[in-house]
Amino acid sequence: MKYKIMRRVFLGGALSIVSLLSVVNASVLTGNVTVDNEYNVYLSTNDNAQGILVSSDNSWYESEVFTATLAAGTDYFLHVEGVDTGGFEGFLGNFSLDSADHLFSNNIAQLLTNTIDWSVSTTGWGNYGNTSSYGDNTAYPWYANTRPAIDVTSAAEWIWSEDDTATHVYFSTAITAVPAPSTMAIFGLALAGFAYSRSKKQA
């Protein structure tokens, strides 16, 4: 009986601490984006759904900066809809997160446009395939223009669909919520206490 009461007290206290520690701060996503020629940026919790509009622009000569708040504990997909109205086409950007509560698909808090971490579709949100690179921010024909928010040394690449005739494309990358390490540690401690109390009772 004594061990049973101790076990309940221990588990109750540990789970209360877990509940308190699970309340973590939201992350702020910052993006610097340009698309030749137009774009819309969305945040979605479903990779096959468009999501909520957070930024748009139709002037590719300079990059635009946007911010968006990510709810703690929620996974997201960053969606960029690119439109080419003639001539050359490409999507260029760099992105960052202000906390370790979320990470990009490359498992860090910074992400550039590249052919590894982004998928693209020409038919809508879903049925994603591989992207194609036209080179970094200094590549022809864009090198003559200035984009102060996207440093030429950042190694961000101009990307598009492998089908370079596509005039409407849909880019996607994942942003994953990260459990707080302290929460996981307390949860492990609670399990250890439970196992210990069981072994004492059986002894």
Side-chain angles (χ1 to χ4, degrees), residues 8-20 186-187 189-191:
R8 287 178 179 173
V9 170
F10 183 88
L11 286 176
L15 291 175
S16 296
I17 296 173
V18 168
S19 178
L20 289 173
I186 294 295
F187 185 67
L189 184 61
L191 291 178

Side-chain angles (χ1 to χ4, degrees), residues 75-157:
D75 294 336
Y76 291 92
F77 295 93
L78 180 59
H79 286 163
V80 178
E81 177 185 14
V83 180
D84 174 38
T85 59
F88 296 94
E89 65 286 325
F91 161 38
L92 181 77
N94 57 26
F95 306 85
S96 64
L97 298 163
D98 73 340
S99 78
D101 295 328
H102 287 85
L103 295 176
F104 291 111
S105 56
N106 57 3
N107 292 319
I108 59 176
Q110 292 79 39
L111 181 68
L112 305 173
T113 43
N114 59 53
T115 60
I116 298 173
D117 301 308
W118 293 83
S119 298
V120 66
S121 171
T122 60
T123 59
W125 307 112
N127 299 315
Y128 299 107
N130 297 326
T131 60
S132 179
S133 173
Y134 296 138
D136 65 18
N137 195 19
T138 65
Y140 175 85
W142 302 284
Y143 60 80
N145 300 289
T146 58
R147 294 168 190 85
I150 306 176
D151 193 311
V152 295
T153 64
S154 72
E157 300 176 56

Side-chain angles (χ1 to χ4, degrees), residues 32-80:
N32 308 315
V33 184
T34 185
V35 171
D36 187 352
N37 297 91
E38 305 173 8
Y39 72 84
N40 296 302
V41 177
Y42 305 93
L43 269 178
S44 180
T45 56
N46 182 343
D47 205 13
N48 297 316
Q50 182 167 276
I52 299 172
L53 180 69
V54 295
S55 180
S56 63
D57 194 65
N58 60 3
S59 176
W60 59 271
Y61 294 97
E62 292 188 355
S63 61
E64 297 294 329
V65 180
F66 73 87
T67 60
T69 300
L70 310 180
T74 302
D75 294 336
Y76 291 92
F77 295 93
L78 180 59
H79 286 163
V80 178

